[in-house]
Amino acid sequence: ETGVTQTPRHLVMGMTNKKSLKCEQHLGHNAMYWYKQSAKKPLELMFVYNFKEQTENNSVPSRFSPECPNSSHLFLHLHTLQPEDSALYLCASSPAETGTYEQYFGPGTRLTVT
Amino acid sequence: AQSVAQPEDQVNVAEGNPLTVKCTYSVSGNPYLFWYVQYPNRGLQFLLKYITGDNLVKGSYGFEAEFNKSQTSFHLKKPSALVSDSALYFCAVRDGLAAGNKLTFGGGTRVLVKP
C-alpha cells in the first residue's frame, strides 16, 4: 500500500445527486492532488493543494468542488454531474508541491454517472 | 510547455525476454522524468525517476530506465519480463523550469507478458 486511501472505491450516482469523494494520506505530506483517469485519455490533473491552499485548478467545471481541511485530507464534492464525468478519480500526495518528489497515489474511486 | 509521448499502446513480450517501454518528452528546461505502473483496479505505483546524474536509473521490481538527452527519451527496461509485470505503464515529465510539481503523463502503454 502507498499510504494514500480513498473512499468509496466505487460510486454510482444519478445526475441530480450530490456526493463526496474522500482521500486521506498517512505519509506526512503537504501537497495533495486530484486526477481524473478516463478510458483512452491521458491522466488529467484537476486540482492541487499545497499546505491546504489550492494552487492549481486545471479549468475544472464548477460541478466539481474540492476541499482540503488539513494536509492529510482531501475531498472532492460532486453535484449535477454528467455521464461523461464517469471515470476513475485518483488522489495523490507528495512531500511538497515544489522540488523533485514523486507522487504517491491512492487506489482511486470508480465513479459511474447514470 | 511540457509534453510526453508513449508511442506504443501495447507491448507484447514472452516471459523471460527483455521488456522495453518507450517514452519521449519535450520540455523547455531540464526534465524531471518518472515511470509509474498501474495494475487492474489499483492506483499508480511509482517505479523510478530521473532528476540528474547517472543516465541509467534503477528502480523497483528490477526495472531500470535510461535517460537520453539527445534523443529526448526515457525508455523503461527490464532484462527478463515476468507474467506479473503485465500492467499499464505511464511515463510522466515535469519541466524543471516550471513552478510547482505539475506532472504531465503519457497516454500509457499496456504490457502483456505471455507465459
Side-chain angles (χ1 to χ4, degrees), chain B residues 63-85:
Chain B
F63 283 95
E64 58 187 30
E66 185 168 10
F67 171 65
N68 188 317
K69 188 173 183 178
S70 63
Q71 298 185 5
T72 61
S73 66
F74 188 57
H75 300 332
L76 182 69
K77 299 180 180 182
K78 186 171 184 179
S80 178
L82 301 173
V83 172
S84 57
D85 293 328

Side-chain angles (χ1 to χ4, degrees), chain B:
Chain B
Q2 57 191 41
S3 65
V4 62
Q6 294 180 242
E8 301 159 315
D9 289 338
Q10 181 159 325
V11 170
N12 298 317
V13 63
E15 187 174 32
N17 282 2
L19 169 63
T20 298
V21 185
K22 296 179 180 178
C23 171
T24 58
Y25 66 89
S26 175
V27 295
S28 299
N30 291 322
Y32 300 151
L33 294 154
F34 303 80
W35 275 104
Y36 288 84
V37 60
Q38 185 177 33
Y39 298 100
N41 301 313
R42 303 284 293 274
L44 277 65
Q45 294 181 33
F46 169 73
L47 282 178
L48 51 80
K49 66 181 178 183
Y50 171 82
I51 303 301
T52 186
D54 194 347
N55 289 343
L56 185 63
V57 179
K58 294 187 182 296
S60 307
Y61 312 120
F63 283 95
E64 58 187 30
E66 185 168 10
F67 171 65
N68 188 317
K69 188 173 183 178
S70 63
Q71 298 185 5
T72 61
S73 66
F74 188 57
H75 300 332
L76 182 69
K77 299 180 180 182
K78 186 171 184 179
S80 178
L82 301 173
V83 172
S84 57
D85 293 328
S86 298
L88 190 56
Y89 291 79
F90 292 94
C91 182
V93 67
R94 183 198 143 202
D95 191 332
L97 287 179
N101 195 13
K102 182 177 178 179
L103 295 179
T104 297
F105 286 83
T109 298
R110 188 165 302 280
V111 170
L112 182 59
V113 182
K114 297 182 178 179

Side-chain angles (χ1 to χ4, degrees), chain A residues 25-87:
Chain A
Q25 57 94 1
H26 310 273
L27 301 169
H29 291 170
N30 293 304
M32 296 188 78
Y33 312 78
W34 278 118
Y35 288 88
K36 177 182 179 182
Q37 186 178 23
S38 306
K40 302 181 181 180
K41 290 182 71 174
L43 211 64
E44 301 172 68
L45 178 66
M46 300 175 71
F47 301 103
V48 181
Y49 278 82
N50 194 42
F51 290 94
K52 303 187 298 179
E53 299 297 321
Q54 186 180 124
T55 57
E56 179 88 22
N57 178 337
N58 200 22
S59 303
V60 180
S62 60
R63 56 186 183 271
F64 295 91
S65 175
E67 178 190 3
C68 189
N70 54 62
S71 292
S72 298
H73 294 85
L74 185 64
F75 296 88
L76 188 62
H77 303 301
L78 316 171
H79 64 97
T80 60
L81 294 190
Q82 304 298 311
E84 59 265 29
D85 296 323
S86 298

